[in-house]
Amino acid sequence: MQQPSLIRVAVRPLRALFVSDAFEGILLIAIAALAIIVANSPLADVYEGFFHDPLAWTPIAKLNTVHLWINDALMAVFFFVVGLEVKREIVAGNLADARQRRLPVMAAVAGMAVPAAVYLLIAGGDPRLANGWAIPAATDIAFAMGVIGLLGSRVPASLRLFLLTVAIVDDIGAVLVIAIFYTANLKFAWLIASLLVFGGLLALNRARVSMMTPYILGALVLWFCVLNSGIHATIAGVVAALAIPMRERGGSTMLETMEHALVGWNAYLVVPLFGFANAGVALAGLGLEEAFAPLPLAVGAGLVLGKQLGIFSCILTADKLGIAKRPENAGWAQIWGTSVLCGIGFTMSLFIAELAFPTNRLLIEEAKIGILAGSLVSALLGYAVLRLSTKGSPAAA
């Protein structure tokens, strides 16, 4: 049997990285690192000015900085894809079967509630910080699946599916949290207009309109109405996605076609650009006192301790009481490692931090420290637990 060449052996892991789920996670890590480096380099003023200085001209007055265009407009595409994924899973995926969705839904709810409780336990005594309770409640699906991708066949397929489903339910929870708890000064005229536009999109679906253009135009109008309503504009992305038809046409559906067309743009442009614009932490002036202040400690502890405690204890309790079975072919050490990975809260946590402290840059910077530190610890610890508790298949070897 011919032995593989030394070059092929050396290149194989790199090639596998670029064709696996791991690449998206690695890309986000690189983007976050680059943002931190730039924010603490001689280019720091250029970085800050580019994203936060008022624009000389903008077609929408509410979006008068590049940062706002990214967070309020471009991220609507991210939430639209999230909405498409959620609808697909509810209609024909893992959330369609009550028995299959029971454990992931329970685990996701516990994985949001316990981190929030841990946060409030540490930082809730300060009224200025209480609004950040939802920051450690979110899981970054790209990061978490990226770490799982690095482990290849060491992780059972059932555990991968479980993590993906938990992350999707987590996204639903995060969207609801943003809509309910981070909305102020509602403008009812714009809210009614938003409801009318959404009704129009549903009418297009019911009338079996098969052209994409009316849905796309309707989604843009809905986004503009929501932007002016007082509800965060990105919620329009999720709401619009719920109106997209999922009827078979030529072997696929409009929903699947849109999702496949946008998922690459989402993974390699929207989220990395958001990460670069939001992950940059200016460390100048932030000493040990700020790094170990109640806010970063609360966020980090919520992600590292709260997530794993909430999710793992929920799975253990449900399995022991016969409420739901743990994922097949997965040992408790593997389940623990996967629960730890859910503490990676990069994208959605950064997003919620901006909403929680919109007028206080120092608190946002401190929250970023907690998010980045907590996510890094969760990623390294989760990877180590899964690596030590699993063995690769012969095919992977």
Side-chain angles (χ1 to χ4, degrees):
M1 182 176 178
Q2 186 177 3
Q3 294 294 323
S5 68
L6 184 61
I7 294 178
R8 287 179 60 191
V9 171
V11 170
R12 186 183 298 159
L14 186 62
R15 180 179 178 275
L17 171 64
F18 279 88
V19 298
S20 71
D21 292 333
F23 181 64
E24 292 180 28
I26 296 298
L27 176 62
L28 287 182
I29 293 172
I31 290 293
L34 179 62
I36 294 171
I37 292 171
V38 173
N40 293 278
S41 74
L43 296 173
D45 290 340
V46 176
Y47 172 85
E48 183 69 17
F50 177 78
F51 287 115
H52 294 283
D53 284 355
L55 294 169
W57 177 84
T58 178
I60 301 176
K62 289 180 71 70
L63 306 182
N64 63 351
T65 67
V66 173
H67 187 261
L68 286 174
W69 272 101
I70 292 171
N71 283 31
D72 289 17
L74 198 59
M75 280 298 284
V77 178
F78 168 82
F79 279 87
F80 183 70
V81 175
V82 168
L84 294 175
E85 291 175 347
V86 167
K87 180 172 182 178
R88 174 171 50 77
E89 291 294 330
I90 291 175
V91 173
N94 300 312
L95 298 177
D97 188 327
R99 292 171 299 178
Q100 284 186 317
R101 68 171 176 252
R102 185 180 302 157
L103 184 61
V105 169
M106 291 171 58
V109 171
M112 296 187 74
V114 177
V118 170
Y119 176 94
L120 290 174
L121 186 65
I122 297 173
D126 187 340
R128 298 179 310 146
L129 308 182
N131 203 39
W133 63 270
I135 297 173
T139 294
D140 191 287
I141 189 170
F143 254 132
M145 293 304 295
V147 176
I148 289 285
L150 287 172
L151 292 159
S153 63
R154 290 173 174 271
V155 180
S158 62
L159 212 48
R160 290 170 177 264
L161 186 60
F162 174 78
L163 175 61
L164 182 62
T165 310
V166 167
I168 289 172
V169 177
D170 191 286
D171 282 343
I172 298 173
V175 169
L176 292 175
V177 165
I178 292 169
I180 297 171
F181 296 100
Y182 294 104
T183 295
N185 302 320
L186 278 176
K187 297 179 180 178
F188 287 98
W190 284 105
L191 185 59
I192 292 170
S194 303
L195 293 174
L196 290 174
V197 175
F198 179 56
L201 287 169
L202 292 177
L204 290 175
N205 189 336
R206 191 169 182 82
R208 307 183 77 84
V209 174
S210 58
M211 294 183 296
M212 286 189 190
T213 304
Y215 293 97
I216 295 172
L217 293 176
L220 290 173
V221 174
L222 177 63
W223 169 80
F224 183 76
C225 291
V226 174
L227 174 68
N228 289 282
S229 71
I231 299 173
H232 200 273
T234 51
I235 300 299
V238 177
V239 174
L242 299 180
I244 303 301
M246 199 171 168
R247 291 183 294 270
E248 286 278 348
R249 57 166 198 169
S252 64
T253 67
M254 184 187 296
L255 185 146
E256 290 170 326
T257 301
M258 284 187 170
E259 185 180 351
H260 292 158
L262 291 173
V263 71
W265 290 99
N266 210 30
Y268 302 119
L269 176 65
V270 176
V271 175
L273 188 55
F274 169 83
F276 184 69
N278 289 274
V281 180
L283 299 177
L286 293 178
L288 290 177
E289 184 178 349
E290 288 79 15
F292 290 95
L295 179 55
L297 281 179
V299 172
L303 289 171
V304 177
L305 300 178
K307 274 290 184 181
Q308 61 174 296
L309 178 61
I311 293 174
F312 184 77
S313 61
C314 178
I315 299 171
L316 182 63
T317 303
D319 184 74
K320 297 302 181 184
L321 295 180
I323 300 172
K325 293 184 178 180
R326 65 182 179 181
E328 295 180 355
N329 303 318
W332 286 114
Q334 294 172 305
I335 292 172
W336 174 41
T338 305
S339 301
V340 174
L341 287 183
C342 290
I344 303 173
F346 183 76
T347 305
M348 200 68 81
S349 292
L350 288 172
F351 193 81
I352 294 174
E354 294 281 345
L355 299 178
F357 310 114
T359 60
N360 194 320
R361 294 307 305 174
L362 176 60
L363 293 184
I364 292 175
E365 297 296 294
E366 289 186 358
K368 287 180 183 179
I369 293 173
I371 292 166
L372 296 173
S375 297
L376 180 61
V377 171
S378 295
L380 294 175
L381 179 59
Y383 177 86
V385 172
L386 286 169
R387 181 83 183 184
L388 294 173
S389 63
T390 57
K391 294 182 179 180
S393 68

